[in-house]
Amino acid sequence: MGRLGNVQPGRVYVDCAPCKRSGRYTVASLIDRYGADVPTVDLLRHLTASCRYQRRPGATPARKYERLCLAAITLPPPARQIPPVPPGVPYTIEVWRDAGGNVALHLATIYPLSMALAAFEAACREWPTHEVTLRDRARIVRKREVPPRVDGASPS
């Protein structure tokens, strides 16, 4: 399990259904009280130590009709790692099939035109026998046509 120091700032919720107790704590106050190195499992044991249904580690298993402490800890959600989307319309780079006239590979969706042009040139070098397009929605910005085939000639 994780450590309390790795948890994002916010509120920690502890709920136990059998004893109908619940609590909420800020991460900062828990770090002040228990330290940043405490594992979250041990933190749950500290916070639910007064529950009458709590069992010690290594205790005998509960019998069929005995109640158990079912306390659960809910940590703040981790920060989202999604980069911000730049304004404007993205450019797409696609490789087309030889027959059928549909997209074989969608290679990239790139925002700045300068990077899209560089990626388009790299795609043209990687797929020399396919049609490659750089598009802005439906508008074709750049297109590399399929080189004409000469029958009987070996590719070099």
Side-chain angles (χ1 to χ4, degrees), residues 5-149:
N6 299 336
V7 175
Q8 295 292 321
R11 291 207 180 269
V12 174
Y13 297 93
V14 177
D15 298 307
C16 182
C19 64
K20 296 180 177 57
R21 295 182 351 174
S22 65
R24 61 181 182 202
Y25 310 90
T26 61
V27 174
S29 68
L30 292 173
I31 288 176
D32 288 343
R33 190 184 314 169
Y34 298 106
D37 291 333
V38 65
T40 54
V41 173
D42 291 344
L43 176 67
L44 180 63
R45 282 187 208 263
H46 286 297
L47 295 175
T48 61
S50 64
C51 178
R52 63 183 169 169
Y53 302 118
Q54 183 68 264
R55 299 178 74 79
R56 289 176 280 115
T60 58
R63 288 188 236 141
K64 186 175 182 179
Y65 295 108
E66 282 185 335
R67 289 192 169 199
L68 288 173
C69 178
L70 300 175
I73 189 166
T74 306
L75 301 173
R80 298 182 76 194
Q81 298 295 328
I82 299 173
V85 176
V89 178
Y91 296 93
T92 57
I93 300 169
E94 297 161 335
V95 176
W96 294 76
R97 294 191 198 283
D98 292 334
N102 54 0
V103 176
L105 292 171
H106 174 83
L107 295 178
T109 301
I110 302 175
Y111 280 89
L113 180 60
S114 59
M115 289 180 63
L117 289 171
F120 173 75
E121 295 300 326
C124 289
R125 285 191 300 273
E126 281 295 315
W127 286 273
T129 61
H130 289 79
E131 181 178 323
V132 181
T133 59
L134 171 64
R135 295 190 306 143
D136 168 18
R137 293 171 287 196
R139 182 176 65 95
I140 295 177
V141 178
R142 294 265 169 94
K143 181 178 183 179
R144 205 268 323 265
E145 297 286 342
V146 178
R149 276 194 171 172

